[in-house]
Amino acid sequence: MKLLITGVTGFVGRNFLLSALESGQYEAIYLPVRNRAKFEAQLKQDGIPANHPSLRVFEATAGDWKLGDAAQAEHAVHAAGVIFARTREEYWDTNVEGTIRLFRALKNPQKVVVLSSLAAAGPNATALARVERDSSEPVTWYGQSKLEMERRLAGEFAKVPYLLLRPPMIFGPRDQATLPLFKMVRNPVHFKPGYADKYFSVLSVDDLVEAIQTALGHSWSSSGGVYYVAHPHVITDRELLSNAAAVSGRPSRVVWVPQPLLKLASRLIDTIPTWRATIPSLSVDRAKEIWPKRWVVSAAAFERDFGWRAKTSFRQSLEQTRAWYLQTGQI
């Protein structure tokens, strides 16, 4: 059996590749990469030889996937996407049009798992936990692009056997987005936006990888819809900071910052390119995801339909993330 993975130099794609190699299930794994040198450096870091007999690496972008033989893969995992960009058009070109180009290039796949995001749904309006039937109200260009991707797939590829997963915040080894958090908690005072607690669903990358594997191994032959995947335990922003400090062996004193002050800071960051590159989550657009009080979902539907359940606790995922940063010399 053959497998195609996009976004393999990113957080989730990279972890899924390692799992797929360990399983030995696939005789050929096709990997379109934009930067071969970067990918080979990552393989070396993970102890995988660049000439591994199962790997079929080729240079491509979301603008032109150049699939060739990879178009015949029975299974595909689409993990590529833009998370931080300067313009709405950048999100649309990769997250929407890039996905559509990929689906048009595939030749009769048996199963395709596409990674969307909780950002496509937006924060909770009234319910304590979002479920799949709730209406979607994304608040950022990123979330809007993911929702538009979902709509375009439903409209143009209803006969393709694909499944969309909407994970919340993800933690685990090879995640670069959490590095600023661990650098911040080295200081004795840790800042949070607003006084009131904010609530979040979370998921470890190991559990997300297992959810993808479960979906690929499950019996379904038509479009399987959209599912939330998350750990049942909900965390607060205070717990995020205090747990990151605790696993780092640091004391923690959480101090709240008025949100109007942070909104002003986000406007300033947007005007200085080097600051925006350093703190992409505080651009004016992406900072819109910071202000809502609740980003919580229920994974009950996926648990029921696929027999999957998240196992790794939030604390464990933070410990694994920090251990990887230490191993790679980043903290």
Side-chain angles (χ1 to χ4, degrees), residues 84-131:
F84 301 111
R86 290 192 62 84
T87 66
R88 179 183 183 277
E89 289 69 27
E90 290 178 78
Y91 287 111
W92 248 252
D93 186 54
T94 297
N95 296 348
V96 182
E97 300 302 333
T99 302
I100 298 304
R101 295 184 196 108
L102 178 69
F103 268 63
R104 288 173 179 166
L106 294 172
K107 305 297 183 184
N108 301 315
Q110 292 180 9
K111 289 175 185 146
V112 184
V113 175
V114 181
L115 288 188
S116 185
S117 170
L118 171 54
N124 300 64
T126 55
L128 291 179
R130 271 190 169 277
V131 294

Side-chain angles (χ1 to χ4, degrees), residues 68-305:
D69 291 343
Q72 305 292 336
E74 290 93 344
H75 286 177
V77 174
H78 182 40
V82 170
I83 299 176
F84 301 111
R86 290 192 62 84
T87 66
R88 179 183 183 277
E89 289 69 27
E90 290 178 78
Y91 287 111
W92 248 252
D93 186 54
T94 297
N95 296 348
V96 182
E97 300 302 333
T99 302
I100 298 304
R101 295 184 196 108
L102 178 69
F103 268 63
R104 288 173 179 166
L106 294 172
K107 305 297 183 184
N108 301 315
Q110 292 180 9
K111 289 175 185 146
V112 184
V113 175
V114 181
L115 288 188
S116 185
S117 170
L118 171 54
N124 300 64
T126 55
L128 291 179
R130 271 190 169 277
V131 294
E132 288 77 3
R133 66 176 176 271
D134 292 337
S135 62
S136 295
E137 299 290 342
V139 295
T140 60
W141 290 333
Y142 170 68
Q144 291 163 10
S145 71
K146 287 292 191 177
L147 181 60
E148 180 63 17
M149 174 196 73
E150 295 179 5
R151 289 172 173 167
R152 289 280 299 277
L153 289 179
E156 299 181 36
F157 300 98
K159 295 182 179 180
V160 175
Y162 74 87
L163 190 76
L164 283 153
L165 298 181
R166 283 179 170 180
M169 287 194 294
I170 310 166
F171 297 91
R174 302 169 190 87
D175 173 25
Q176 292 300 141
T178 312
L179 183 57
L181 170 65
F182 280 99
K183 289 185 175 181
M184 182 180 71
V185 298
R186 291 183 297 187
N187 301 312
V189 177
H190 311 139
F191 299 99
K192 69 172 292 298
Y195 178 75
D197 285 344
K198 299 177 187 296
Y199 296 84
F200 302 96
S201 286
V202 293
L203 185 65
S204 80
V205 71
D206 287 346
D207 285 328
L208 178 54
V209 165
E210 185 177 341
I212 298 169
Q213 291 172 327
T214 299
L216 290 174
H218 204 271
S219 297
W220 47 281
S221 57
S222 59
S223 178
V226 181
Y227 286 95
Y228 291 115
V229 283
H231 194 281
H233 178 67
V234 175
I235 68 162
T236 67
D237 50 354
R238 292 179 193 272
E239 290 173 325
L240 172 62
L241 293 166
S242 62
N243 275 272
V247 301
S248 301
R250 303 277 184 168
S252 176
R253 182 188 176 199
V254 178
V255 175
W256 70 277
V257 179
Q259 291 194 160
L261 184 61
L262 285 176
K263 290 180 180 179
L264 179 63
S266 70
R267 295 191 186 98
L268 179 62
I269 287 168
D270 254 5
T271 65
I272 303 174
T274 54
W275 287 11
R276 179 169 178 140
T278 303
I279 321 174
S281 61
L282 262 182
S283 68
V284 169
D285 182 63
R286 285 311 300 262
K288 293 175 183 176
E289 295 179 353
I290 297 174
W291 320 136
K293 294 181 179 179
R294 196 170 188 89
W295 291 84
V296 177
V297 301
S298 168
F302 190 75
E303 293 172 1
R304 179 193 66 234
D305 293 349

